[in-house]
Amino acid sequence: MKISFLIHNAYGIGGTITTTFNLAAALTERHDVEVVSVLRHRDRPHLTPHPAVRLRALVDLRTEADHPLHRKAARVYPAAEYRHRQYSELTDQRIGEHLAALDADVVIGTRPGLNVHIARQAPRHVLRVGQEHLTLDNHSPRLRTALRRAYRRLDVITTVTEADAEAYRRTMWLPGVHVEALPNSVPDPVLPPADGTARIVAAAGRLVPVKRYDLLIEAFAQVAAVHPDWQLRIYGKGEEQPRLRELIERLGVWNNVFLMGAATPMEAEWAKASIGAAASNFEPFGMTIVEAMRCGLPVVSTDCPYGPGEIIADGADGRLVPVGDRDALAAALLELVGDDELRRRMSRTALENSRRFAPGPVVAQAERLLENAAAARKAAGRPAPPRRPAGSALTGRAHAARDAARAAASGVLRAVRKASR
């Protein structure tokens, strides 16, 4: 098969870019794969795609940022999608032209706005797949209403967790569209796994409020008070960095907690540690959790929606603690820090359990999903509707009506606020 991915900006940094490049690389063993980036802002991508994956961009911001059409708001890309301001009539035009000329067997969108483009503009002979890298609950009622209208034209929707797949099946009511959880994959490590002897806890990700690195630092301060020879290393960059640095100074843990900056790839840094940590309030999947486990680290994480609970087996390969509970997070870290044998045992289990996120199993599932969808479409014109529990149509329509009402009320409120200015 020829498979074409459509992504927002493949030249940036982020989990969607990482997992798209990972899946594209694994698919090249049996398929012809390209990644089409709507935007490009630099000469080289931060992450290097597999040599067999073709990468090209539709709008080059280095030379086209001042294009007259790029100053006009997008009309196809949904206004309720939070990246709407980065899209324009120029991106509408380029995406539409790209999809109209598409000669692939499968086109895969990687965010809601791009999925809408694919649903509305991809040729009928192309299998249309919409990936969800966030969660349905994370979208506003206005966006969910727009997605319901467009997504009926997709063949497949994939989510990164089963919980989110079930939310789509239960509340979106998309007859004939197959919804399936397809987790992100992490390449097989090239370095030996961590041996559990380093006195280091590692965490990684964007330094933004939802990741709650402040909570992790406060919890680790309790660990450092008992085990002053242990360190917390936080990898990443973002808006929270000044506040986190101030917190480290205020708690007096500057000899134990370090903001390491961004590291790409992270594998060598995970391998230097003995425990992984995550304190998010919300995590659509938990890519860094899988990365850490694949390097042999048990992970202590908040049990936030949606991903951690589907990745970590509490007490076997890591620990899950309540969201926002600093003391529970500290206690779980102290448990692993203070018990070498428990840490080593969990490390071995983390290595074993995380193999399900290796490229092999994930790609095999993706290939089966695409082949089944293509066969169903060939036999019946489009994939047969997935089995739904009794009453799901009524439930889905009720959710649709509720979202539409909320979206309308929100629109009225925006109009009133605009008129009162």
Side-chain angles (χ1 to χ4, degrees):
M1 282 190 289
K2 183 173 182 180
I3 301 171
S4 179
F5 288 88
L6 184 62
I7 193 169
H8 168 65
N9 188 342
Y11 294 80
I13 297 176
T16 299
I17 302 167
T18 300
T19 191
T20 298
F21 279 7
N22 288 348
L23 181 57
L27 285 168
T28 59
E29 291 190 13
R30 293 180 34 156
H31 305 280
D32 182 5
V33 184
E34 69 173 1
V35 173
V36 177
S37 180
V38 176
L39 302 176
R40 177 178 184 173
H41 70 292
R42 64 198 310 268
D43 293 341
R44 296 179 179 274
H46 282 284
L47 303 175
T48 304
H50 188 281
V53 175
R54 297 184 307 283
L55 174 63
R56 60 190 178 96
L58 301 179
V59 175
D60 192 335
L61 297 177
R62 296 172 301 171
T63 58
E64 297 184 293
D66 294 326
H67 192 290
L69 289 180
H70 199 51
R71 298 173 185 172
K72 298 181 180 180
R75 297 182 180 181
V76 179
Y77 198 94
E81 227 261 43
Y82 86 97
R83 287 200 183 275
H84 178 260
R85 291 184 179 181
Q86 295 177 258
Y87 285 75
S88 63
E89 283 193 16
L90 181 62
T91 61
D92 278 356
Q93 180 187 91
R94 297 282 174 83
I95 296 170
E97 290 171 350
H98 160 66
L99 292 173
L102 196 64
D103 64 348
D105 300 296
V106 182
V107 60
I108 302 175
T110 55
R111 62 176 308 106
L114 299 180
N115 296 341
V116 168
H117 269 281
I118 288 171
R120 293 177 59 178
Q121 297 175 319
R124 292 291 299 173
H125 68 271
V126 177
L127 195 69
R128 293 160 292 179
V129 180
Q131 287 186 342
E132 175 62 85
H133 288 278
L134 291 173
T135 68
L136 185 60
D137 289 350
N138 189 248
H139 301 325
S140 68
R142 186 176 169 215
L143 179 56
R144 289 196 296 264
T145 298
L147 297 184
R148 279 189 185 91
R149 294 172 184 152
Y151 277 14
R152 293 172 184 272
R153 303 178 189 177
L154 293 174
D155 296 294
V156 176
I157 294 171
T158 67
T159 63
V160 290
T161 64
E162 181 54 44
D164 197 39
E166 180 54 32
Y168 267 90
R169 298 184 195 113
R170 186 180 68 254
T171 68
M172 288 293 277
W173 183 238
L174 302 170
V177 181
H178 182 66
V179 180
E180 186 169 327
L182 180 69
N184 294 332
S185 69
V186 173
D188 296 325
V190 297
L191 298 175
D195 60 13
T197 61
R199 301 182 185 280
I200 297 170
V201 176
R206 292 174 299 120
L207 305 185
V208 293
V210 72
K211 299 294 185 179
R212 292 306 310 270
Y213 288 112
D214 58 331
L215 186 78
L216 178 58
I217 292 169
E218 290 171 353
F220 193 79
Q222 298 183 35
V223 176
V226 181
H227 299 277
D229 54 339
W230 275 74
Q231 296 180 1
L232 170 63
R233 297 182 180 179
I234 299 173
Y235 297 87
K237 61 182 181 179
E239 64 192 69
E240 285 282 278
Q241 182 171 332
R243 192 170 78 89
L244 297 177
R245 196 172 297 283
E246 180 183 339
L247 178 61
I248 291 168
E249 294 289 328
R250 177 156 47 85
L251 295 176
V253 291
W254 50 80
N255 289 326
N256 300 93
V257 180
F258 302 93
L259 302 180
M260 305 294 291
T264 304
M266 264 296 296
E267 183 183 335
E269 309 309 320
W270 293 125
K272 295 173 186 175
S274 292
I275 301 169
S280 299
N281 286 340
F282 170 78
E283 198 68 71
F285 179 66
M287 194 74 166
T288 59
I289 295 175
V290 177
E291 290 177 352
M293 292 173 67
R294 296 225 69 201
C295 290
L297 300 189
V299 178
V300 176
S301 172
T302 48
D303 191 13
C304 62
Y306 281 77
E310 293 191 20
I311 299 170
I312 297 170
D314 188 30
D317 53 25
R319 291 301 313 275
L320 293 168
V321 302
V323 175
D325 193 329
R326 178 191 59 203
D327 293 338
L329 185 60
L333 288 168
L334 281 166
E335 180 185 20
L336 269 69
V337 165
D339 191 330
D340 293 347
E341 178 52 38
L342 174 65
R343 196 167 62 247
R344 283 192 290 267
R345 186 169 67 248
M346 283 192 173
S347 174
R348 293 190 294 270
T349 307
L351 276 173
E352 179 63 31
N353 289 353
S354 63
R355 287 196 179 106
R356 70 189 189 277
F357 299 108
V362 175
V363 169
Q365 181 186 352
E367 289 180 322
R368 174 192 54 77
L369 175 63
L370 296 178
E371 288 166 1
N372 288 349
R377 168 188 270 220
K378 186 176 181 179
R382 65 174 298 141
R387 293 181 180 178
R388 299 174 182 271
S392 64
L394 183 60
T395 301
R397 287 167 181 160
H399 280 279
R402 190 178 303 122
D403 281 344
R406 289 174 178 170
S410 178
V412 170
L413 183 60
R414 284 195 304 272
V416 169
R417 287 174 176 169
K418 186 175 181 180
S420 64
R421 287 175 184 170

